[in-house]
Amino acid sequence: MSDVQPVLAIVLAAGQGTRMKSATAKVLHTMCGRTLLGHVLAAVEPLGAAQTLVVLGHGREQVTEELAKTSPGAKPVVQAQQNGTGHAARLALKAAGDVDGAVVVVPGDTPLLTPETLHLLVQRHIDAKASATLLTARMPDPAGYGRIMRDGDGHVTAIVEERDADERVRQIDEVGTSIYVFDAAKLRQNLARITTDNAQGEEYLTDVVGLLVADGDVVASVVADDHRETLGINDRVQLATARHTMRDRIVEHWMRAGVTITDPETTWMGVRVQLEPDVTIHQNTQLHGRTTIRSGAVVGPDCTLTDTEVGAGATVVKSQCTGAEIGPGADVGPFSYLRPGTKLGARAKAGAFVEMKAAQVGDDSKVPHLSYVGDAEIGERSNIGAATVFVNYDGVDKHRTKIGDDARVGSDTMLVAPVEVGDGAYTAAGSVITEDVPPGAIGVARERQRNIEGWVERRRAGTKSAESARRARERNGDESATMDSDGKGEQGAGE
Ligand code: UD1
Ligand code: CA
């Protein structure tokens, strides 16, 4: 890390970003869980600059709000009219007060820039005792960029903007990246000298370089190892390309940290995701927010997890989980939807087509099929039968349901909250439970079955059903098929 910390970092982000064609300020577009500006600030932060100022113009209300939320250490400086990069730097320097030392300048739309490259740049600046140090890049297609002019000894002499360049200069493929380190005093002096005498009628920060060279000041440079790091995002095609690059970096990082990723091409994850060694991620999986996955867990294929914690050895297949906590050895999916406040205990199960919200499921309890579990607390080792619904909403308010330990809720039970099923209690399949079931009891809340004998032959005469019914009756030698009778009594609880 660099010996000397910059006194100031300036992020230039007042430009409009017209080519995004968006109501959202360009630097607020996101990739891999951060805004473009957020990525730039994350690269700048490790430098430990005493102050970080972000020059804002277009969409400044939006950006200011975002800064306050996510990077309160970075202070906005308003550039009401975008009179050029030089003008922007001048406003920031003025806002910084009487600073003395190294000033880092970066654009707000270069999200792939790394802290390592910035450290290198600062280090070079210090070592060379330079007045300015530029990060340059060799671009496969330099069109649109300012070109780096060097003398016979290879020293930088100036940066010429494309619009002010002749054909010979346009052939140069080394470009300025808008990433610099300046000596504060030299920057201040020379920003006062630049003019708007150029094709765009703007104050160019790049002109400071030519002025310094003319004064015999030392201007150093570093050529970026990987030009992609310096790419600015101007439209959504470049945004998608950058997002891929960032995704590749993140995925590669985790594979090197011991995570098996079976299909990196279809795996996406944000910068705040945490994975332990020996996690396995299968294809088409997206991990967002502060998702954490512990050792031995298998996630995917086809999962989208946001702010979700997956315990050691758990399995999550084809499911969508947001704000959920999945215990060690628990089992989720396929086709589960776990919403905020879901907490599955150790070895618990949320099986196929199960939706949960604000639901605590105790250790070893299972909700294997086709159920909605909302606003619930389920104890340990309990089983919730298929197609059970926790009826939590009365149309106005939400209510909670409590299920004890070792309970057995029969299939197709409606648990009309607020309601409680005690430890070791059962409910009969198909029950609509509106009152508490005490520990050890079975709650039966459904009509008794009544069989009307001979109904099909009488009321559906001539159908295949009637024909089969007749044959069955004849086989059984049963002549009394025309009388009604009541059905049998209790059926056991579903599971
Ligand atoms: C600038 C450089 C060019 C370099 C290129 C790298 C100048 C004159 N040119 O050109 O040499 O190759 O970046 O991408 O500096 N901004 C403000 N206020 C302004 C104008 C711009 O804050 O008044 C911000 C923009 O939001 C952007 C950055 O400064 O983040 C660069 O501005 P932009 O207009 O993109 O400059 P380029 O023409 O790309
Ligand atoms: Ca640009």
Side-chain angles (χ1 to χ4, degrees), residues 72-422:
K75 298 287 177 245
V77 172
V78 174
Q79 185 194 25
Q81 193 119 44
Q82 283 71 59
N83 293 335
T85 47
H87 178 240
R90 194 149 55 76
L91 291 179
L93 204 54
K94 197 169 153 221
D98 197 13
V99 295
D100 197 12
V103 177
V104 174
V105 177
V106 296
D109 63 355
T110 51
L112 297 173
L113 183 63
T114 61
E116 292 75 19
T117 297
L118 281 177
H119 273 299
L120 196 69
L121 195 68
V122 172
Q123 199 61 60
R124 178 69 53 87
H125 183 77
I126 305 293
D127 292 348
K129 299 189 168 56
S131 296
T133 304
L134 323 177
L135 183 67
T136 74
R138 294 202 174 279
M139 289 289 176
D141 177 12
Y145 289 94
R147 306 299 205 282
I148 301 295
M149 311 299 292
R150 290 182 186 268
D151 64 17
D153 299 328
H155 295 121
V156 173
T157 56
I159 303 176
V160 177
E161 291 306 293
E162 165 135 322
R163 294 210 228 180
D164 303 297
D166 61 23
E167 208 29 62
R168 190 185 53 85
V169 169
R170 289 184 187 194
Q171 297 303 313
I172 297 170
D173 70 347
E174 188 186 6
V175 307
T177 60
S178 273
I179 298 161
Y180 317 78
V181 184
F182 289 103
D183 172 71
K186 294 284 182 183
L187 181 60
R188 193 177 295 109
Q189 282 160 28
N190 287 286
L191 282 174
R193 295 168 65 195
I194 56 176
T195 67
T196 56
D197 184 16
N198 53 55
Q200 297 189 82
E202 289 183 351
E203 293 179 39
Y204 286 172
L205 178 54
T206 46
D207 283 353
V208 168
V209 173
L211 292 171
L212 286 170
V213 172
D215 282 355
D217 276 287
V218 177
V219 174
S221 65
V222 172
V223 185
D225 267 347
D226 181 352
H227 71 86
R228 288 178 307 177
E229 239 193 81
T230 69
L231 287 176
I233 307 303
N234 296 309
D235 61 35
R236 301 193 201 219
V237 176
Q238 292 170 324
L239 177 60
T241 306
R243 189 181 284 122
H244 263 95
T245 304
M246 180 66 75
R247 186 280 307 270
D248 290 347
R249 276 189 199 165
I250 298 170
V251 164
E252 192 179 317
H253 164 84
W254 288 116
M255 290 193 288
R256 295 198 188 286
V259 173
T260 293
I261 295 178
T262 51
D263 189 17
E265 283 297 302
T266 63
T267 303
W268 289 85
M269 49 185 82
V271 292
R272 290 191 180 80
V273 167
Q274 290 293 328
L275 307 175
E276 288 186 354
D278 286 324
V279 158
T280 300
I281 309 287
H282 290 307
Q283 63 267 25
N284 287 322
T285 291
Q286 301 187 28
L287 307 176
H288 301 294
R290 296 192 182 274
T291 291
T292 301
I293 305 180
R294 308 231 173 265
S295 197
V298 179
V299 174
D302 308 320
C303 286
T304 302
L305 308 190
T306 304
D307 297 324
T308 288
E309 196 175 322
V310 180
T315 307
V316 186
V317 179
K318 286 185 194 281
S319 290
Q320 172 128 0
C321 309
T322 301
E325 229 178 280
I326 297 166
D331 202 354
V332 176
F335 310 107
S336 281
Y337 180 27
L338 304 188
R339 293 163 52 200
T342 297
K343 198 171 168 203
L344 295 184
R347 300 166 304 279
K349 183 182 177 86
F353 301 100
V354 170
E355 176 176 345
M356 292 190 178
K357 184 215 76 169
Q360 284 178 40
V361 180
D363 295 352
D364 301 293
S365 281
K366 297 186 170 30
V367 186
H369 337 268
L370 298 156
S371 293
Y372 174 60
V373 183
D375 298 304
E377 188 184 325
I378 299 173
E380 297 179 0
R381 298 172 305 280
S382 286
N383 192 89
I384 308 299
T388 290
V389 175
F390 285 60
V391 183
N392 61 332
Y393 186 43
D394 62 13
V396 179
D397 295 312
K398 302 279 170 67
H399 303 281
R400 292 188 67 79
T401 297
K402 205 172 162 215
I403 310 285
D405 295 338
D406 301 295
R408 297 286 178 269
V409 171
S411 293
D412 197 32
T413 296
M414 299 293 119
L415 295 156
V416 182
V419 76
E420 212 173 309
V421 175

